[in-house]
Amino acid sequence: MKALNEMKLQIESRSVNEGFARATVAAFAAQLDPNIEDISDIKTAVSEAVTNSIVHGYPDSVGKIYIWAGIYENGLFKVKIKDRGLGIEDVKKALEPLFTTLGGERAGLGFAVMESFCDKIHVTSKIGKGTTVTLEKFLKGRNCGDD
Amino acid sequence: MAINITSTPVRLTISLIGEIDHHNASVLRIESDEAIQKSLSPTVTLDFGEVTFMDSSGIGFVLGRYRIVESYGGSIEVINLSNRLYMMMKLAGLEKLMKLKMKG
């Protein structure tokens, strides 16, 4: 399936870029004229994935985060967030709510939030190679072709 | 992101304004903890009425403050939550630890 429209964004893994990344993805999704709830869902899920790359992918360095977003038929919106960081040893375990390797103030809810706000999430990871998170959501709105 | 702190002898109110994410949670944490540790107030209220965005860093923020306030025997409550923020905090099970009040 080919995207009707797509965009790419590359950022450094600095926490100050978290707000920029989620706002940019949301601005791209805005052409579908989705409702506020859906836009907030996208922003929150992207924020979680980008934060994971910064905190877990590149804990001791600044690396690149590659963000791709695509619009498909029937209002399907996909976002891919990819890093070339440390990778996740056990993806299944990382997806469990409240599981965190960091303790402190990380709630361990990043993936749970992504799952609850998206229709589908997919995570691939390889130690030493990095992690890719794919988010999929059907947006409801005037230009989403769902009516 | 901004923070507004007011206190009475029995209550410390911490009002958060703007977006809460991993980046700005650290500043919120430092300023809140300074006020909490200075007052050791029996009730600490976190007011989310002016929060325009929050990811799971906001939940980490609430949990962290809960642990501090609980450690000296105080209680914590979260007020003025939008539907979305209330849902996220319930997802994290915070309603078992503290009072969560919605807007209005």
Side-chain angles (χ1 to χ4, degrees), chain B residues 39-51:
Chain B
S39 73
L40 297 182
S41 186
T43 306
V44 174
T45 301
L46 302 177
D47 187 341
F48 275 69
E50 303 289 322
V51 172

Side-chain angles (χ1 to χ4, degrees), chain B residues 14-85:
Chain B
I14 300 172
S15 306
L16 308 165
I17 302 142
E19 305 199 327
I20 305 178
D21 63 10
H22 156 254
H23 178 67
N24 47 37
S26 55
V27 177
L28 300 179
R29 198 152 59 221
I30 292 163
E31 294 195 19
S32 306
D33 290 356
E34 204 182 277
I36 292 170
Q37 270 146 6
K38 216 161 77 187
S39 73
L40 297 182
S41 186
T43 306
V44 174
T45 301
L46 302 177
D47 187 341
F48 275 69
E50 303 289 322
V51 172
T52 52
F53 172 85
M54 180 189 97
D55 64 17
S56 68
S57 308
I59 293 164
F61 171 81
V62 174
L63 270 173
R65 309 300 67 72
Y66 165 77
R67 288 192 196 113
I68 292 171
V69 174
E70 205 211 12
S71 72
Y72 66 78
S75 69
I76 197 159
E77 59 173 12
V78 184
I79 64 166
N80 287 324
L81 290 166
S82 64
N83 277 331
R84 160 174 295 270
L85 299 194

Side-chain angles (χ1 to χ4, degrees), chain A residues 9-23:
Chain A
L9 176 70
Q10 183 184 314
I11 57 170
E12 290 198 330
S13 64
R14 302 179 191 279
S15 65
V16 69
N17 289 331
E18 290 158 6
F20 170 70
R22 65 175 176 263

Side-chain angles (χ1 to χ4, degrees), chain A residues 95-115:
Chain A
L95 289 171
E96 287 172 12
L98 306 181
F99 175 81
T100 176
T101 51
L102 283 178
E105 301 250 309
R106 304 303 309 157
L109 285 168
F111 282 122
V113 167
M114 287 183 238
E115 277 172 342

